[in-house]
Amino acid sequence: MFKKLSSSEARARRRALAALLCAGLGGMGGAVWAAAPGVQSLRVERSDDEVLLYAELSFELAASVQDALLKGIPVHFVAEARVLRERWYWFDQELAQAARYTRVAYQPLTRHWRLNTSSEPINDAELGLGLSQQYDSLAEVMAAVQRIAGWKIASAEQLAGGGAQLLQFQFRLDASQLPRTFQLGGLRQSDWHLALERRQPLELERSP
């Protein structure tokens, strides 16, 4: 036999169930948002005669990518920025283009993570030519990878001339830099595909 609830008890039970449902959906939504890759913020500043880009990225490395890093296999990323002048009568005119290369590697002997950054593609023979930094954890080094600050993408002179201008930004994982034997035998394509893009009108902020 089921006990018949009073109207006040029924309302209280409905409110409790609704609260539980909202909490569950809210938690799910938060998890989806945290995992969704993308360019969270993108802006450019003019500092004297330089045009500097700032970006905040959001993405998570697949388990197989993290496993490769822990085995000592470096992972490379490439950021590319282009500034275009819109032309209604023809293709957009490219005013400036820049690339930024980063390499993440784990050092088992010291248990540190190394991050190399350069304006040129990075190979083992030229690791000392760019900026090199050390981190204590994968989370710390990836936070640095996902934060781009003060990257020079053009000179002010290159963007002179007026007209509507566009900023194109792309960030990707460069699987072509992996060892050839790993590409042939241990590469799961979907895990290693990472490409973030944004295109927006160029609005130059004046640096303080």
Side-chain angles (χ1 to χ4, degrees):
M1 295 290 292
F2 293 99
K3 180 183 176 181
K4 185 176 181 180
L5 299 176
S6 66
S7 59
S8 60
E9 289 176 327
R11 285 196 299 271
R13 179 166 294 186
R14 285 197 297 270
R15 285 196 296 268
L17 289 172
L20 287 172
L21 179 60
C22 289
L25 292 175
M28 290 172 61
V32 171
W33 172 257
V39 180
Q40 299 302 316
S41 67
L42 180 65
R43 63 184 178 88
V44 289
E45 289 184 359
R46 178 173 176 176
S47 176
D48 296 328
D49 63 341
E50 296 182 337
V51 178
L52 309 177
L53 183 146
Y54 296 79
E56 294 284 345
L57 313 176
S58 175
F59 63 87
E60 294 183 7
L61 295 179
S64 60
V65 180
Q66 297 183 38
D67 184 58
L69 280 166
L70 290 172
K71 290 178 179 177
I73 298 174
V75 173
H76 295 250
F77 302 91
V78 183
E80 297 174 313
R82 299 173 66 211
V83 179
L84 308 172
R85 176 179 287 124
E86 290 185 295
R87 297 190 294 191
W88 63 268
Y89 58 89
W90 197 242
F91 297 110
D92 292 342
Q93 177 188 9
E94 182 175 277
L95 302 178
Q97 187 272 341
R100 184 176 186 266
Y101 300 87
T102 54
R103 175 186 184 271
V104 176
Y106 180 60
Q107 300 170 306
L109 293 179
T110 61
R111 295 185 177 180
H112 286 141
W113 295 83
R114 186 175 182 181
L115 174 64
N116 294 89
T117 307
S118 175
S119 59
E120 301 292 337
I122 301 171
N123 57 56
D124 293 339
E126 300 175 345
L127 286 179
L129 297 182
L131 176 65
S132 179
Q133 296 170 290
Q134 275 199 160
Y135 296 88
D136 293 328
S137 68
L138 176 60
E140 290 179 359
V141 72
M142 290 312 301
V145 170
Q146 295 179 67
R147 184 177 60 254
I148 299 175
W151 171 32
K152 179 182 176 181
I153 62 170
S155 66
E157 183 180 1
Q158 287 177 285
L159 306 189
Q165 297 177 2
L166 295 172
L167 172 64
Q168 285 187 343
F169 174 81
Q170 182 188 67
F171 179 90
R172 59 185 171 85
L173 190 158
D174 188 4
S176 68
Q177 295 285 350
L178 293 168
R180 185 65 176 169
T181 53
F182 188 78
Q183 292 186 45
L184 294 175
L187 187 61
R188 184 179 174 184
Q189 294 291 341
S190 60
D191 287 354
W192 293 83
H193 177 74
L194 172 68
L196 312 178
E197 295 184 11
R198 181 181 284 191
R199 177 186 173 103
Q200 66 186 43
L202 180 69
E203 298 179 356
L204 283 176
E205 301 177 12
R206 190 72 186 183
S207 62

